[in-house]
Amino acid sequence: MTKAADSAPPRPRNSTKTKARILEAAQNAFSTRGYRDVGIRDISAAAEVNQNLITRYFGGKASLFREALASILKLDDLLIEDRADFGNRQANILRENHATTMNSGAMLALSIGDPQARAISSEKWNHQLVDVIADWLDGPDAKARARLISMLSMGFTVVQLLTAEESEESREEQIFIDQWLAETLQKIVDMPEGSATGTLPSSSDKISGKVA
């Protein structure tokens, strides 16, 4: 005799939650071990899913890396209309969203050793960070300022990653660093048009000794 439970249809898989779990496992793996040393098997074990499911949802490892990186490089909470508070907003995001920013910085940094992952990281860096910030800034030198913001933010993140095991900063040091970061980022946003590219010394000036 067949039990009612045996005849009941299987519970549908929640694909959205499963994909999110896979992406989180991939981000953790790629940000701690690097692209080269991580396989689909490692990620499937961490996410507790079948390897075939990862292939069906994301394709190969490169496609999974691309989507995992894209999903963590989010600027939704940063590029709001109030530009006067951009520096404080970004400094707070970098400090408070510690796990997210650390993972994104580590994924980018650890991808350098693999040509395929490096190409993906370069694409995402330019199109999902620099280009988006440049569109928000607008102006003839928006791209240069966007690169400065991205470089400074990622540099801060990588240093935090490198020094994570060291003793924590004193309260005074933390305040100083956060304030400097916020003020510097804000200065980049507030630069007059043309100042980011129009005041750079030329190579001839450097050679002739006009630049100190």
Side-chain angles (χ1 to χ4, degrees):
M1 184 168 136
T2 305
K3 296 182 180 179
D6 294 335
S7 60
R11 186 172 59 183
R13 180 184 291 115
N14 189 324
S15 60
T16 301
K17 288 185 177 180
T18 302
K19 287 180 179 179
R21 194 163 73 248
I22 293 171
L23 286 175
E24 182 179 2
Q27 289 160 357
N28 290 334
F30 289 134
S31 66
T32 54
R33 296 170 55 189
Y35 183 85
R36 275 186 174 177
D37 294 335
V38 171
I40 293 295
R41 179 180 297 179
D42 302 312
I43 296 170
S44 68
E48 298 181 340
V49 299
N50 189 281
Q51 294 182 54
N52 294 331
L53 194 61
I54 295 180
T55 303
R56 191 199 327 172
Y57 283 155
F58 300 99
K61 186 171 79 166
S63 298
L64 176 58
F65 178 81
R66 180 189 302 276
E67 191 153 348
L69 185 58
S71 68
I72 207 172
L73 294 177
K74 298 289 188 180
L75 299 176
D76 298 342
D77 297 331
L78 177 63
L79 304 182
I80 60 177
E81 290 301 319
D82 185 8
R83 298 192 182 194
D85 196 46
F86 174 90
N88 286 324
R89 197 159 62 245
Q90 175 66 336
N92 288 335
I93 288 173
L94 292 173
R95 177 68 72 176
E96 293 175 6
N97 294 356
H98 191 65
T100 300
T101 55
M102 292 278 275
N103 278 357
S104 62
M107 283 184 69
L108 289 167
L110 293 176
S111 71
I112 295 175
D114 183 271
Q116 188 173 34
R118 181 177 181 177
I120 293 171
S121 293
S122 177
E123 175 200 341
K124 291 301 175 185
W125 167 273
N126 282 296
H127 298 315
Q128 198 167 332
L129 291 182
V130 176
D131 286 350
V132 173
I133 296 173
D135 288 342
W136 179 74
L137 289 171
D138 203 9
D141 56 357
K143 188 73 170 283
R145 288 188 290 151
R147 287 178 64 85
L148 287 174
I149 290 170
S150 300
M151 290 163 60
L152 182 58
S153 300
M154 196 55 63
F156 176 85
T157 301
V158 171
V159 170
Q160 290 292 102
L161 177 67
L162 290 172
T163 59
E165 301 300 323
E166 298 179 4
S167 59
E168 294 186 0
E169 305 151 349
S170 68
R171 177 63 179 166
E172 292 76 13
E173 288 175 333
Q174 180 178 323
I175 292 173
F176 171 78
I177 292 171
D178 291 351
Q179 183 177 353
W180 177 87
L181 179 64
E183 290 177 354
T184 304
L185 288 167
Q186 192 62 47
K187 286 179 181 178
I188 297 172
V189 171
D190 295 339
M191 281 182 178
E193 289 188 7
S195 60
T197 54
T199 60
L200 297 178
S202 67
S203 57
S204 59
D205 287 337
K206 294 178 181 179
I207 294 173
S208 62
K210 293 180 181 179
V211 180

